[in-house]
Amino acid sequence: MSDSIFQDALTRVRTIGESAKVSPEVIESLMHPMRTMTASLPVRMDDGSTHYFTGYRCRYNNALGPTKGGIRFHPDVNLPEVQALALWMSIKCAVVGLPYGGGKGGVTVDPKKLSRMELERLSRSYVRQMADVISPERDIPAPDVYTNERIMGWMMDEYEAITRKKAPGVITGKPISLGGSLGRDDATGRGAYLCILELEQKHNWIPSDISVAVQGFGNGGYHAARLLHERGYKVVAISDSKGGIFSQNGFDVPSIYEEKQRSRQVRAVYCNHSVCEQVEHQILSNAELLELDVDILIPAALDGVIGKHNIDNIKANYIVEVANGPVLSDVDDILHEKGIHVIPDVLANAGGVTVSYFEWVQNRSGYAWELQDVHERLGKIMSKAFNDIWDLAKAEKRSMRNAAYTVAMRRIGQAIEAHGTRDYFNAD
Ligand code: GLU
């Protein structure tokens, strides 16, 4: 599965690149991860023993700038998955026009099994091993699955201790007090929400008529659900890694969030201040949630959840990919033929890296922006990216994913071609 996820990512780049007549040299350059580092991360456990975790960092492509991308802590992390994620970051940064290439990192670990102190030691150990890969000018990590701002703070701190200078621009998604940006916390969900607002405008949707199912209630899924609920959308299903809930009437998202903070479970409740009551609902599995007949399906958990195994049962009109890689490439065409529109991850979840970019710019200029400023700038970038892709998709009858990859590969291509390609060197 994991090896095939990287092969899947490569297939998509090749297929779309060829159909969009992207230069073969550009496609070829995207077939090869520039540099991948594997390291053993020794961590002193609370019982005094030393455990060696495996950590990865892949700098995939730096044609457009320093490599950028999160670090995930998850038991399934492995090298090909990190490479696939780093390739998607290369495409994503180009889609939203950031001066970045793509990278990604990860540690094979179940962070839920670590104590807080073990988690801190692991985060610091990661940076000790990767200190000559990352830097504000070379490769800039950020949060991803099961990593958060506190972990980013520890990592920055360790990097600064090694280099003996302040370097807040080495990592983004930090706590505000350590140089983080206002608006970074909900930026991934907000970016997806802004894409849905674009759809709303184009189709004259009335939010209360539109049903939404959200798989995954982490940072991306929660904020997307919260913002949609605030605007009046009907969030009819929510799940986390343990399972989900469904109600035709829609849920009060803030109540579910409060309850999740308290009990660590997704439970169907309505809370009036601190008093929560159960509301009518059905329990459903993550697999069932994906097959609901809803207007918008938001996979916001892990990769590979929609593929040949369940494509016949997918009924949503729109799939907005908040997770990275939830739809496998072998069903891209089937979805297009079925008339199911996909707002691809490289656009739908690009709000996170966009505000990471703002954070990095602020760190490097030593100036802190106001929240409204961050929101306005994010709004402009997302709207432009969405409409560039929408227009190309309409003009060339491509899917949104196909158009997004085309835009990205053309941008990366321009940077590669500026150095000269075979045509240039062979010209008379
Ligand atoms: N991990 C996030 C992503 O996949 C954010 C990356 C970043 O902010 O650099 O887009």
Side-chain angles (χ1 to χ4, degrees):
M1 177 73 182
S2 52
D3 192 33
S4 65
I5 210 104
F6 183 43
Q7 292 311 319
D8 200 74
L10 293 177
T11 305
R12 200 175 251 155
V13 166
R14 191 176 285 288
T15 316
I16 300 178
E18 284 170 1
S19 80
K21 307 216 165 10
V22 170
S23 127
E25 280 166 76
V26 173
I27 298 176
E28 192 53 30
S29 81
L30 286 170
M31 295 293 118
H32 307 282
M34 190 173 77
R35 184 178 177 193
T36 310
M37 165 110 160
T38 305
S40 287
L41 315 178
V43 174
R44 172 89 57 210
M45 307 304 278
D46 290 345
D47 67 1
S49 64
T50 300
H51 191 90
Y52 295 83
F53 295 91
T54 307
Y56 306 97
R57 185 76 193 165
C58 171
R59 300 184 61 218
Y60 200 95
N61 181 286
N62 69 349
L64 292 174
T67 46
K68 182 89 190 81
I71 299 171
R72 67 171 55 180
F73 285 178
H74 192 277
D76 297 338
V77 163
N78 56 67
L79 189 128
E81 185 195 58
V82 169
Q83 290 176 320
L85 288 158
L87 168 53
W88 292 330
M89 284 307 302
S90 313
I91 302 288
K92 190 187 304 182
C93 292
V95 160
V96 276
L98 304 180
Y100 285 145
K104 200 80 172 197
V107 178
T108 314
V109 58
D110 183 352
K112 292 177 186 165
K113 293 200 176 129
L114 298 187
S115 72
R116 289 180 181 169
M117 283 187 281
E118 287 167 343
L119 194 62
E120 177 178 359
R121 287 182 218 121
L122 175 64
S123 307
R124 291 182 184 278
S125 185
Y126 183 88
V127 171
R128 278 199 298 279
Q129 298 308 319
M130 302 294 176
D132 43 17
V133 178
I134 62 174
S135 101
E137 289 83 28
R138 192 186 309 128
D139 179 38
I140 307 128
D144 197 75
V145 174
Y146 292 145
T147 52
N148 56 25
E149 55 171 46
R150 191 180 299 277
I151 293 175
M152 298 304 111
W154 288 329
M155 288 183 165
M156 175 191 77
D157 200 43
E158 191 65 27
Y159 183 80
E160 291 181 341
I162 293 166
T163 56
R164 304 195 75 74
K165 58 178 184 232
K166 285 286 174 196
V170 72
I171 202 157
T172 59
K174 303 177 292 292
I176 306 288
S177 55
L178 299 180
S181 175
L182 293 172
R184 177 63 185 85
D185 53 349
D186 71 0
T188 305
R190 185 173 293 273
Y193 166 73
L194 292 170
C195 289
I196 295 171
L197 288 194
E198 294 287 338
L199 291 172
E200 181 188 306
Q201 246 181 29
K202 300 209 183 299
H203 300 299
N204 291 320
W205 283 345
I206 298 167
S208 56
D209 289 348
I210 306 291
S211 56
V212 184
V214 186
Q215 185 201 38
F217 209 49
N219 180 274
Y222 160 59
H223 286 296
R226 174 181 64 82
L227 291 164
L228 288 168
H229 173 260
E230 272 170 23
R231 185 152 178 98
Y233 283 80
K234 243 193 318 173
V235 180
V236 298
I238 296 176
S239 70
D240 68 3
S241 57
K242 294 175 217 105
I245 50 175
F246 170 77
S247 163
Q248 200 64 65
N249 305 325
F251 291 112
D252 180 59
V253 175
S255 297
I256 312 255
Y257 180 70
E258 255 177 65
E259 178 62 25
K260 165 104 184 165
Q261 295 304 98
R262 224 186 336 254
S263 67
R264 308 236 151 258
Q265 276 172 39
V266 166
R267 295 228 292 250
V269 292
Y270 179 80
C271 303
N272 194 347
H273 298 290
S274 59
V275 184
C276 297
E277 273 177 31
Q278 201 171 68
V279 295
E280 217 176 287
H281 68 283
Q282 276 164 251
I283 298 282
L284 80 185
S285 67
N286 268 298
E288 286 164 339
L289 183 143
L290 296 171
E291 298 177 5
L292 288 172
D293 189 1
V294 287
D295 296 301
I296 303 176
L297 171 64
I298 303 186
L302 291 171
D303 47 63
V305 294
I306 298 173
K308 281 261 164 71
H309 62 285
N310 59 359
I311 188 66
D312 291 341
N313 303 327
I314 302 293
K315 301 176 201 75
N317 295 326
Y318 283 85
I319 298 176
V320 178
E321 297 183 322
V322 168
N324 286 309
V327 174
L328 293 168
S329 76
D330 56 1
V331 297
D332 281 353
D333 291 344
I334 307 177
L335 286 166
H336 195 50
E337 280 152 26
K338 276 178 94 164
I340 298 178
H341 305 282
V342 180
I343 308 301
D345 49 5
V346 291
L347 171 65
N349 72 26
V353 69
T354 301
V355 178
S356 273
Y357 165 61
F358 298 161
E359 182 174 330
W360 181 76
V361 169
Q362 292 171 73
N363 291 155
R364 290 162 69 85
S365 68
Y367 187 80
W369 302 354
E370 288 177 11
L371 183 61
Q372 197 189 344
D373 202 2
V374 169
H375 283 172
E376 274 169 19
R377 287 172 191 263
L378 175 64
K380 263 194 213 155
I381 289 185
M382 290 306 299
S383 175
K384 179 172 184 320
F386 185 96
N387 283 294
D388 282 352
I389 292 165
W390 177 272
D391 293 345
L392 181 71
K394 289 279 163 267
E396 297 186 11
K397 293 202 172 37
R398 294 165 178 271
S399 67
M400 287 290 278
R401 182 178 333 267
N402 194 304
Y405 272 64
T406 303
V407 166
M409 277 192 264
R410 285 180 184 162
R411 285 188 183 144
I412 296 171
Q414 281 167 3
I416 293 173
E417 282 161 9
H419 293 106
T421 56
R422 195 165 72 177
D423 290 346
Y424 168 76
F425 289 109
N426 285 336
D428 301 327

